[in-house]
Amino acid sequence: MKRLFTLLILLAMYCQSQAQTAAIDPSIKTSKVVLDDFMDQRFGMFIHWGPVALRGTEIGWSRGTNVPTNEYDNLYKEFNPVLFDADQWVKTAKDAGMKYLTITAKHHDGFCLWPTKYSDYSIMNSPYKKDIVGELAKACKKYNLKFCVYFTVLDWHDPNYPVHLPDGKISDPKADMNKFVKTMKNQLQEIVTQYHPYMLWFDGNWESPWKNEYGVEIYTFLKKLDPKVIINNRLGAGQGADHPNLSAQTIGDYATPEQKIGELNMNHPWETCMTICNQWAWKPNDKLKTLKECIQTLAKTSGGNGNLLFNVGPMMDGRIEQRQINRLKEMGDWLNTYGESVYGTKGGPYKPNETYAATRKGNKIYIHVFERKAEELTLPALKGVKVNKAYLLKGSKITHRKDATGAITLQLPAQLPNADDSVIVLELNTNAEKLPVTI
Ligand code: FHN
């Protein structure tokens, strides 16, 4: 009995020590001003790329599964993307209406797309021998996009990281996590001091070798290098189910729901990451999302008060597929007309649904109408609100009325101007951003 009691005391002390060490000093956390600026951007490009494009299989995950490990680890010796043009990639993002770009500088396979001094497994030892990360940072500056970097905290290629295969359970006794974290800090210092990323997108925090304490150490280290750098919520230890969540204990600044539109949340910043096809890295003949899916995903994400980080996978020669470029341009054309209802808006006050989503700014509510199911669209009542004017954004007046319950009914035109998302503006007698969310 006495031994059990002692054991329980020791366990409680260990848990308390874990909780104490796994906490960020609130004074160094990214400010609301910086995070509000990030959330105003609303739309970014995610890029998953590396020598694995030579096989068209998934980055990291196909190492030792679809592609034999040794073959995968030697792909870099053939990797020579001579058609890579950073300006072209960044212009594609800009033409899509994207405001930031996030590149996988280092994914789970450990290959580094910049000339790191801390690993030979890098682009500088491929036939290409140029700094991909640096070129993209330069092009983002030239075209006024915010440059961001994806960095994995698991590395199946690094002998100091204990796990060497996707979801591998085997822990390598020769591994040394202290050396691994030291290398990570050195590489992050290279990235932050040489390329000054606006945001760092960590990933791979679900395997057992990664601990919250490492997350605290890295977050604190990064904030000393750049107090303004934004950091996602995948630096502390956590599972996939944690990606959409953010709490005071989270090591990171915003939540990252993946391959799904996040829930409407007015309390903390979040960004959905999603592929324009199915695979993150390039895959021949992969299924490309329709324009309707793309535009309505962006509208529902914004309607939920979140950002959309939309992923392309460039090909082995350095080009992004023309069909992906075309789809993104179509999104940009939609944003050229309706961007006012996305950028710098807040989500709500209505929760997104299959018929419409809502965003708001100042005294305006933007109703994103996805399809004309009837002649009229009725919106739930908004307490104390009077609609002074209603009209199609960049279009004609919309007849509206308020019924005895306060519900707002809009008379839809026979033909909506956009088959994927037509935006109706409601000009109110009050500040729309202050309205409570109405389900
Ligand atoms: O394992 C990665 C995956 O390859 C991809 O990078 C996504 C992007 O968010 N994140 C991880 C899966 O959750």
Side-chain angles (χ1 to χ4, degrees):
M1 193 58 182
K2 197 172 170 218
R3 281 184 62 193
L4 177 61
F5 182 71
T6 310
L7 202 60
L8 286 172
I9 292 291
L10 287 172
L11 184 63
M13 284 167 67
Y14 172 75
C15 291
Q16 208 219 359
S17 73
Q18 292 287 308
Q20 278 163 354
T21 51
I24 299 285
D25 170 359
S27 69
I28 67 168
K29 290 211 75 173
T30 306
S31 71
K32 184 176 182 310
V33 168
V34 169
L35 287 170
D36 284 350
D37 176 73
F38 172 52
M39 298 311 289
D40 282 347
Q41 311 303 315
R42 281 291 183 248
F43 191 29
M45 177 181 271
F46 212 173
I47 304 171
H48 278 66
W49 195 46
V52 70
L54 288 157
R55 291 292 178 272
T57 55
E58 189 57 289
I59 190 165
W61 294 96
S62 60
R63 178 177 179 271
T65 52
N66 316 57
V67 182
T69 303
N70 189 51
E71 178 186 338
Y72 189 109
D73 290 352
N74 284 286
L75 289 173
Y76 77 101
K77 294 173 181 168
E78 309 163 42
F79 190 52
N80 191 16
V82 293
L83 298 181
F84 168 69
D85 180 338
D87 284 17
Q88 280 308 315
W89 286 15
V90 173
K91 276 193 282 190
T92 296
K94 196 169 182 72
D95 291 348
M98 293 163 157
K99 301 296 183 186
Y100 59 102
L101 178 148
T102 305
I103 177 70
T104 53
K106 183 178 176 183
H107 201 267
H108 310 332
D109 59 15
F111 188 74
C112 301
L113 289 179
W114 81 100
T116 176
K117 294 202 299 288
Y118 301 96
S119 168
D120 293 335
Y121 192 42
S122 87
I123 192 74
M124 300 316 281
N125 291 316
S126 75
Y128 190 66
K129 299 189 190 313
K130 288 183 198 142
D131 178 0
I132 299 285
V133 173
E135 291 296 311
L136 284 169
K138 219 170 9 180
C140 281
K141 191 169 182 160
K142 180 175 171 183
Y143 292 99
N144 195 26
L145 255 73
K146 298 185 183 297
F147 177 68
C148 309
V149 165
Y150 169 111
F151 193 95
T152 183
V153 299
L154 69 78
D155 179 342
W156 294 319
H157 180 271
D158 188 320
N160 282 323
Y161 183 78
V163 176
H164 297 313
L165 283 174
D167 288 336
K169 302 286 178 274
I170 308 138
S171 188
D172 182 346
K174 297 189 296 303
D176 182 330
M177 275 305 281
N178 291 328
K179 286 183 182 165
F180 178 73
V181 172
K182 180 66 185 147
T183 300
M184 184 184 295
K185 287 171 80 169
N186 287 332
Q187 291 190 320
L188 287 168
Q189 177 145 4
E190 288 180 322
I191 287 170
V192 172
T193 55
Q194 290 167 12
Y195 309 117
H196 311 289
Y198 173 73
M199 175 257 277
L200 287 168
W201 212 99
F202 288 97
D203 202 11
N205 59 334
W206 50 80
E207 290 193 338
S208 57
W210 191 254
K211 307 295 179 201
N212 259 351
E213 296 77 77
Y214 297 136
V216 172
E217 182 182 349
I218 298 280
Y219 188 99
T220 307
F221 172 72
L222 289 168
K223 284 300 185 179
K224 286 195 176 88
L225 293 173
D226 178 358
K228 285 192 160 186
V229 69
I230 300 166
I231 296 167
N232 76 346
N233 70 337
R234 302 193 187 185
L235 186 51
Q239 297 303 313
D242 304 316
H243 292 165
N245 308 325
L246 200 85
S247 72
Q249 288 68 45
T250 302
I251 297 164
D253 304 322
Y254 69 91
T256 54
E258 176 169 324
Q259 297 288 34
K260 63 182 180 191
I261 296 164
E263 291 297 317
L264 187 151
N265 189 311
M266 302 306 296
N267 301 315
H268 72 238
W270 61 270
E271 170 199 67
T272 272
C273 55
M274 190 179 283
T275 51
I276 197 169
C277 289
N278 285 335
Q279 195 168 274
W280 291 100
W282 176 73
K283 175 182 177 185
N285 310 311
D286 198 355
K287 188 173 183 304
L288 179 68
K289 285 181 172 65
T290 64
L291 180 58
K292 186 181 289 292
E293 285 174 302
C294 294
I295 289 175
Q296 292 184 5
T297 295
L298 177 60
K300 290 174 183 173
T301 306
S302 303
N305 203 37
N307 285 12
L308 175 62
L309 187 60
F310 212 34
N311 181 81
V312 296
M315 297 184 282
M316 67 194 86
D317 63 6
R319 291 176 300 152
I320 297 171
E321 278 185 325
Q322 193 55 49
R323 62 179 186 142
Q324 293 185 26
I325 293 172
N326 296 344
R327 181 68 81 242
L328 290 172
K329 177 69 171 66
E330 290 172 315
M331 292 183 80
D333 292 344
W334 181 86
L335 280 161
N336 280 338
T337 303
Y338 297 109
E340 172 189 332
S341 67
V342 171
Y343 304 121
T345 64
K346 296 278 180 284
Y350 301 115
K351 196 175 170 200
N353 56 60
E354 286 316 302
T355 307
Y356 65 87
T359 54
R360 47 184 160 162
K361 188 164 35 183
N363 72 327
K364 293 177 181 173
I365 295 177
Y366 301 94
I367 303 295
H368 297 254
V369 184
F370 300 139
E371 62 173 307
R372 187 180 187 278
K373 283 185 171 166
E375 287 181 3
E376 295 184 331
L377 174 63
T378 298
L379 305 168
L382 294 170
K383 199 163 179 311
V385 163
K386 180 175 173 300
V387 177
N388 293 330
K389 267 169 67 177
Y391 51 90
L392 282 165
L393 185 55
K394 306 275 177 25
S396 52
K397 252 170 68 60
I398 292 284
T399 306
H400 61 95
R401 69 178 187 275
K402 190 170 163 180
D403 70 18
T405 66
I408 301 162
T409 297
L410 307 175
Q411 184 76 41
L412 296 179
Q415 183 77 31
L416 285 170
N418 187 288
D420 304 319
D421 178 358
S422 300
V423 177
I424 294 175
V425 185
L426 308 180
E427 287 193 10
L428 310 183
N429 63 328
T430 184
N431 182 340
E433 295 180 39
K434 301 244 186 281
L435 296 172
V437 165
T438 303
I439 306 296

